[in-house]
Amino acid sequence: MNHQTHHPFFSKLGAQVSSLLLAAMFLTLFSCGGEKEATKEAAPDAPVYTLVFLDKTQSVHVDKRYVNDKYRQALTDIIEQNMKNKGDKLEVYFIHENTSKARALSLTVRSEKDNLEGANATDREGIETAFQLALQKEKSIYLRQLLAKLNQQNTGASNLSTDIWASLPVIAKAGESGSEVKVYYFSDMVESVKGADRRDFHINPPKSDAEAETDAKEDTKKLQRYAIGSPQVTIVSPFEPTASSKENNPHVTHYWQTLFQELGGVSVEEL
């Protein structure tokens, strides 16, 4: 039997080795955690690319109090929620006879947060506050510009047609940027374009959900060349809650829900 192992020297040495191993283990854990933290901070979210389509045709009256209040609030929320980091972008297009060529506004967040690496808690707070102040200033300017576009009247002949299909190539192009794309239609969504292969919901609206689905699936064949990706789509309708189904045709909404579902598996939210 080897009695050396019970010698106090070896017991002490064993305890020291254990302590060192334990310390090394904690150090590794903390340094890993620190690396993760630093990586997380260094990788910001993908920029948000917001597309706002404002209906500028004669069927949407933004001068009505209910519509104006609802639209102003929705635009305020969009600026607040989607314009948060440097590179976040917002573009406004007017929906009318020539939608895809009707870009009215292009805004990009320029405020940048200073590097937080190595900053202590007080400095971090100062950097964050300075960034938020700069961002809020930028957002209030953007909101003013946005509301001016909302209230801009279109008295030209282009207000006789509502070409919502023409928004699809615009969405597809935004999707190519690699950003997270959010799309908002401020519209009654009544597509109204003359032509044998077009829809005019003023003259011939879908009379049932089944008809709306059939029409949408048929139209998908013509429109699937636009790879729209999977944007988040929201329709901000101009109808009051008391509007009749004759005025606010639910089958028209169903047509668009089906079309976006067929084109990119996109679900449509209505406000």
Side-chain angles (χ1 to χ4, degrees), residues 27-219:
L27 203 62
T28 309
L29 277 173
F30 279 121
S31 64
C32 286
E35 265 174 52
K36 271 185 197 157
E37 202 57 48
T39 312
K40 197 167 74 179
E41 215 161 74
D45 297 334
V48 175
Y49 197 143
T50 304
L51 290 170
V52 170
F53 292 99
L54 292 176
D55 200 326
K56 291 291 174 183
T57 56
Q58 57 186 357
S59 62
V60 175
H61 303 283
V62 292
D63 48 349
K64 277 189 179 173
R65 177 122 189 229
Y66 171 81
V67 180
N68 204 275
D69 286 352
K70 180 178 181 177
Y71 279 11
R72 283 174 70 94
Q73 187 56 57
L75 289 170
T76 305
D77 292 345
I78 288 167
I79 288 272
E80 204 50 52
Q81 291 160 15
N82 296 1
M83 304 291 271
K84 287 181 174 174
N85 297 295
K86 188 181 184 207
D88 286 348
K89 190 172 187 174
L90 187 148
E91 289 185 338
V92 176
Y93 283 78
F94 288 162
I95 292 177
H96 52 45
E97 185 185 31
N98 195 8
T99 303
S100 62
K101 301 277 192 301
R103 192 171 79 177
L105 198 60
S106 181
L107 309 166
T108 307
V109 174
R110 305 199 184 287
S111 301
E112 191 171 7
K113 194 187 290 186
D114 287 344
N115 194 349
L116 293 170
E117 204 179 317
N120 62 31
T122 311
D123 290 345
R124 278 168 175 263
E125 201 176 317
I127 290 167
E128 188 64 49
T129 304
F131 170 68
Q132 287 304 331
L133 280 171
L135 184 63
Q136 282 310 126
K137 193 174 172 184
E138 224 177 331
K139 289 203 285 198
S140 65
I141 294 167
Y142 290 167
L143 183 59
R144 273 205 304 277
Q145 292 176 289
L146 208 46
L147 295 176
K149 292 298 174 190
L150 171 67
N151 293 314
Q152 191 176 313
Q153 294 297 312
N154 176 20
T155 51
S158 66
N159 77 3
L160 299 173
S161 295
T162 307
D163 190 356
I164 300 168
W165 280 11
S167 65
L168 297 172
V170 177
I171 297 171
K173 191 157 178 31
E176 289 168 13
S177 67
S179 301
E180 181 190 350
V181 180
K182 297 186 178 187
V183 181
Y184 300 84
Y185 290 98
F186 286 72
S187 173
D188 58 6
M189 301 306 280
V190 176
E191 179 83 352
S192 173
V193 181
K194 306 284 178 277
D197 63 339
R198 296 301 305 257
R199 298 282 167 203
D200 191 338
F201 291 153
H202 279 304
I203 292 170
N204 188 20
K207 293 166 194 69
S208 66
D209 276 359
E211 191 183 319
E213 270 180 47
T214 305
D215 290 350
K217 284 176 181 174
E218 197 179 299
D219 293 342

Side-chain angles (χ1 to χ4, degrees), residues 11-32:
S11 301
K12 200 171 172 185
L13 189 65
Q16 282 177 333
V17 169
S18 298
S19 299
L20 282 168
L21 281 171
L22 208 59
M25 199 168 75
F26 274 119
L27 203 62
T28 309
L29 277 173
F30 279 121
S31 64
C32 286

